[in-house]
């Protein structure tokens, strides 16, 4: 089972991100029902491992987190692969991420060491963009450089199963984990 842990976004945040997407002059937007903030990608795991991780996550005791989206950027150089909205620096979110990694380790899964860069992906691009599209993206990023959303309280996070299909992944929620 391909799985990940993520924070769901409240409707007003999703609506604001959809409004932003609609101004993007390229046709490569991610569907709004796929918006989430990934805390940890678990990869392909046997169901028994997912069950052990679920049990460990039930023991995670962390306060609620306040999130603020601020700024846009891309992953991929020299040709952008993903357009995303960035999360403002957040120590509480980093602590939550650290506790989740500890819980997965306690369950027997050692996650790959990766730099945690919390974000929500808005669009995915082909491996090489034509020069005119690169220019449109550059102008879009300049026009929206000061993009910000009101902070919101994160009440919990979720365990998802990801089912890959030709049109992209389908995310099926398996469990919720409330924060205190």
């Amino acid at each position: 089972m391909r799985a990940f842990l993520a924070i769901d976004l409240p409707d007003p945040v999703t609506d604001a991100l959809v409004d932003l997407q609609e101004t993007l002059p390229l046709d490569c937007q991610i569907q709004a029902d796929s918006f989430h903030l990934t805390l940890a990608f678990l990869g392909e795991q046997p169901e028994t491992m997912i069950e052990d991780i679920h049990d460990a996550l039930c023991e995670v005791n962390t306060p609620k987190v306040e999130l603020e989206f601020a700024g846009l950027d891309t992953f991929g150089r020299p040709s952008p692969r993903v357009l995303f909205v960035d999360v403002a620096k957040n120590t509480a979110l980093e602590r939550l991420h650290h506790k989740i990694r500890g819980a997965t380790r306690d369950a027997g899964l050692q996650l790959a060491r990766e730099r945690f860069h919390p974000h929500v992906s808005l669009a995915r691009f082909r491996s090489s963009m034509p020069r005119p599209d690169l220019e449109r993206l550059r102008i879009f990023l300049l026009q929206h450089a000061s993009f910000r959303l009101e902070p919101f309280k994160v009440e919990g996070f979720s365990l998802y199963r990801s089912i890959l299909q030709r049109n992209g992944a389908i995310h099926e929620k398996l469990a919720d984990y409330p924060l205190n």
Side-chain angles (χ1 to χ4, degrees):
M1 178 185 311
R2 188 173 191 259
F4 64 94
L5 299 164
I7 292 171
D8 295 323
L9 304 179
D11 289 341
V13 171
T14 298
D15 293 344
L17 295 179
V18 167
D19 289 346
L20 175 65
Q21 271 186 327
E22 288 174 355
T23 67
L24 182 63
L26 303 167
D27 187 26
C28 48
Q29 292 87 345
I30 291 171
Q31 294 297 313
D33 60 0
S34 294
F35 286 165
H36 63 272
L37 190 154
T38 302
L39 293 168
F41 179 68
L42 306 176
E44 291 281 345
Q45 303 299 329
E47 283 190 41
T48 54
M49 175 59 73
I50 297 298
E51 290 168 7
D52 291 345
I53 290 169
H54 168 71
D55 292 341
L57 290 170
C58 286
E59 303 301 316
V60 170
N61 187 7
T62 305
K64 294 177 181 163
V65 176
E66 188 169 89
L67 280 186
E68 179 182 7
F69 289 112
L72 298 174
D73 203 350
T74 60
F75 289 129
R77 302 284 186 260
S79 187
R81 301 283 295 154
V82 174
L83 169 68
F84 64 89
V85 60
D86 223 342
V87 173
K89 180 89 171 124
N90 190 312
T91 337
L93 181 62
E94 290 173 12
R95 276 195 298 270
L96 173 61
H97 172 72
H98 182 71
K99 284 194 173 197
I100 286 171
R101 286 184 66 89
T104 60
R105 189 173 41 254
D106 292 347
L109 177 63
Q110 186 68 41
L111 296 174
R113 290 188 80 70
E114 294 177 349
R115 187 174 70 103
F116 181 52
H117 187 145
H119 67 279
V120 173
S121 298
L122 297 176
R124 294 193 192 286
F125 308 114
R126 294 173 204 225
S127 56
S128 61
M129 290 177 75
R131 196 175 292 269
D133 287 350
L134 279 171
E135 182 60 17
R136 284 196 229 21
L137 178 60
R138 186 187 71 74
I139 291 168
F140 175 83
L141 288 168
L142 287 172
Q143 289 171 336
H144 298 283
S146 61
F147 178 79
R148 279 192 119 64
L149 292 178
E150 288 295 315
F152 64 95
K153 196 67 97 175
V154 174
E155 304 286 330
F157 63 96
S158 304
L159 170 64
Y160 280 92
R161 173 184 192 171
S162 181
I163 303 162
L164 298 179
Q165 300 197 335
R166 285 178 49 123
N167 302 8
I170 294 175
H171 302 142
E172 175 187 342
K173 189 182 291 192
L174 302 176
D176 288 316
Y177 307 96
L179 299 176
N180 302 325

